[in-house]
Amino acid sequence: MAFEGLSEKLSNAFKKLRGKGRLSEADVKQAMREIRLALLEADVSYKVVKQFIAQVTERAVGTDVLEALSPAQMIIKIVNEELTSLMGGESAKLTIASKPPTVVMLVGLQGAGKTTNGAKLAGLMKKQSGKRPLLCACDIYRPAAIQQLEVVGKQLDIPVFQMGQTDPVEIAKAGIQHAIDHGNDLVFLDTAGRLHVDEELMEELQNIKAAVSPTEIILVVDAMIGQDAVNAAKAFDDALDIDGVMLTKLDGDARGGAALSIKAVTGKPIKFVGVGEKLDQIEVFHPDRMASRILGMGDVLSLIEKAEQTFDQQKALELQEKLRKNKFTLTDFYDQMLQLKNMGSLTEIAGMIPGVKASDLDNATMDEKLLQRMEAIILSMTPYERENPNVLNSSRKKRIAAGAGVGVVDINRLLKQFEMLQAMTKQFAGGKMPRNMRKLMGKKGGIPGMPF
């Protein structure tokens, strides 16, 4: 989970402030020292930390804060606003050319994940914006780079243009012409990388830029290399004047310093983040939502958006109707578990819920074997038993256990979980959702697949 260590340390610093009715300047300075250490340990650039602390301190020692009824909350609000500003203020979208095709040039060091994440971005634009992307293989040096692009392109049903091991400038020009001829309105140029920044790499990228005048140059950097990611971003920006950054492997970086430093160092926004290995695990970067996650305030909007993308709308409507009639079955239970699994790990989801720390569910994931056992149990039942689990007596359970290759205790555990979920869904269906949760979700109209 990104920023996990930082979130915990900031939470501890704020906890000390909450215990005080009034704050002195000394209290604020002590809190700032702890925040400074937390940011440095998260691998945030020293210059960025120094400037950030100065700005927060200047606002935090004002009379509005020191004389406020809840000064600790005021300081958290200030830190939240300054973190949001540090990461760019608001989300930055991909620039779309007035005359298609839009050409996006992907650059970065070898190993950052350009090929896979470029394909992910193409898939995102196809799914969310209705674009018709084309992937163009301009990396002629790395073994199997072209083949890798073709594999991910096939998985996402996105065409790939390639000309083998020829001049990458000519490949880029021919790829754009191919897009024009075949009605592709978005072209992603997958360029070569190196293990380090060198003149030869930059010269090749500058030649491609001069030849095709890309609409956007997106730098792909690995979040897990920390300050090296920031240094690479500055080097590429100096040479190519990049338009934005895509951070990959953010889910694997518990510190998150790169995300907090890049915008401040380069002045260029983080536009997208890779949050997992699957080809749909890419997100638009929202500075305000990320700041809320860092401070333990959750990210309900992203959670609802993730649910909207994962849950089948037709099944959701059918489920709502069943719930209203109290006809929630074991088959429905299994369908819901499958769709929740597709949303990602429990730790990732936990980080989006206000007041829940990802560390509370440390290493908790939707167990594949548990899901397989549950599937085997449900599929070993007759259709009548799935619709009426109350008929499952001892002999029926023994038969199902034998068919599923599990013990009767596993069947009892599943039935207990099902009963608990039934009781909860009856409450929601009856409109008994807690008022604060209803208020929180009111603007978005609830979570898809759920009866509220």
Side-chain angles (χ1 to χ4, degrees), residues 109-387:
L109 295 177
Q110 195 168 304
K114 278 193 308 300
T115 302
T116 303
N117 284 278
K120 282 185 184 183
L121 181 53
L124 182 72
M125 297 302 293
K126 177 182 178 181
K127 183 178 179 181
Q128 292 191 355
S129 304
K131 297 292 182 184
R132 299 188 66 244
L134 173 73
L135 298 170
C136 185
C138 297
D139 183 356
I140 63 170
Y141 307 107
R142 183 169 63 87
I146 297 171
Q147 185 182 359
Q148 183 189 354
L149 193 65
E150 288 179 330
V151 168
V152 291
K154 186 176 181 181
Q155 289 174 339
L156 290 164
D157 194 24
I158 296 171
V160 174
F161 178 84
Q162 62 103 349
M163 291 169 53
Q165 313 290 321
T166 57
D167 181 5
V169 174
E170 294 305 317
I171 296 172
K173 286 158 65 174
I176 293 168
Q177 187 57 51
H178 179 89
I180 294 169
D181 295 341
H182 292 81
N184 299 104
D185 52 10
L186 195 53
V187 181
F188 289 91
L189 304 179
D190 181 33
T191 66
R194 299 281 193 281
L195 293 174
H196 56 86
V197 175
D198 61 23
E199 288 184 17
E200 187 182 353
L201 168 66
M202 291 306 182
E203 186 178 347
E204 179 179 296
L205 296 175
Q206 286 166 345
N207 289 340
I208 295 174
K209 178 184 176 181
V212 302
S213 299
T215 316
E216 286 249 323
I217 300 178
I218 299 291
L219 172 68
V220 182
V221 287
D222 182 344
M224 294 184 70
I225 64 175
Q227 282 308 297
D228 285 340
V230 181
N231 296 333
K234 191 170 188 322
F236 276 92
D237 187 45
D238 290 343
L240 296 166
D241 187 23
I242 63 174
D243 297 288
V245 174
M246 183 194 300
L247 266 184
T248 66
K249 307 175 192 174
L250 191 62
D251 57 311
D253 178 28
R255 296 174 302 174
L260 290 172
S261 303
I262 282 178
K263 175 65 167 68
V265 172
T266 65
K268 303 300 168 66
I270 299 170
K271 295 196 172 189
F272 302 94
V273 287
V275 291
E277 294 180 2
K278 294 180 181 176
L279 292 177
D280 61 349
Q281 289 182 312
I282 182 172
E283 297 175 0
V284 174
F285 184 74
H286 298 279
D288 53 342
R289 299 185 193 182
M290 190 58 73
S292 290
R293 283 197 219 182
I294 292 170
L295 296 177
M297 298 174 185
D299 181 5
V300 174
L301 285 177
S302 290
L303 178 61
I304 292 172
E305 285 174 3
K306 187 180 280 286
E308 284 175 340
Q309 292 165 16
T310 304
F311 281 81
D312 183 293
Q313 192 64 36
Q314 184 59 39
K315 282 189 176 182
L317 293 171
E318 290 172 4
L319 177 64
Q320 281 187 328
E321 189 59 32
K322 286 185 176 183
L323 286 168
R324 286 194 185 96
K325 296 177 180 178
N326 284 331
K327 289 185 177 179
F328 186 62
T329 68
L330 278 165
T331 305
D332 300 322
F333 176 52
Y334 173 63
D335 285 343
Q336 292 300 297
M337 293 295 281
L338 273 183
Q339 295 196 65
L340 282 171
K341 176 178 175 287
N342 290 334
M343 285 181 68
S345 69
L346 291 180
T347 47
E348 184 185 347
I349 295 170
M352 297 180 185
I353 302 172
V356 179
K357 292 188 296 183
S359 56
D360 293 340
L361 292 173
D362 199 22
N363 297 321
T365 55
M366 193 70 75
D367 188 349
E368 291 284 350
K369 290 182 180 177
L370 178 66
L371 198 65
Q372 287 168 6
R373 281 200 300 273
M374 188 174 72
E375 181 180 19
I377 291 169
I378 293 173
L379 295 180
S380 295
M381 296 177 185
T382 64
Y384 179 75
E385 288 168 340
R386 287 177 219 156
E387 295 292 323

Side-chain angles (χ1 to χ4, degrees), residues 37-50:
L37 284 173
L39 290 169
L40 290 172
E41 286 178 22
D43 205 21
V44 181
S45 161
Y46 174 74
K47 287 183 179 178
V48 173
V49 172
K50 188 177 179 182

Side-chain angles (χ1 to χ4, degrees), residues 93-111:
K93 296 181 180 179
L94 200 66
T95 303
I96 302 298
S98 55
K99 182 182 178 183
T102 297
V103 179
V104 180
M105 184 174 165
L106 300 165
V107 301
L109 295 177
Q110 195 168 304

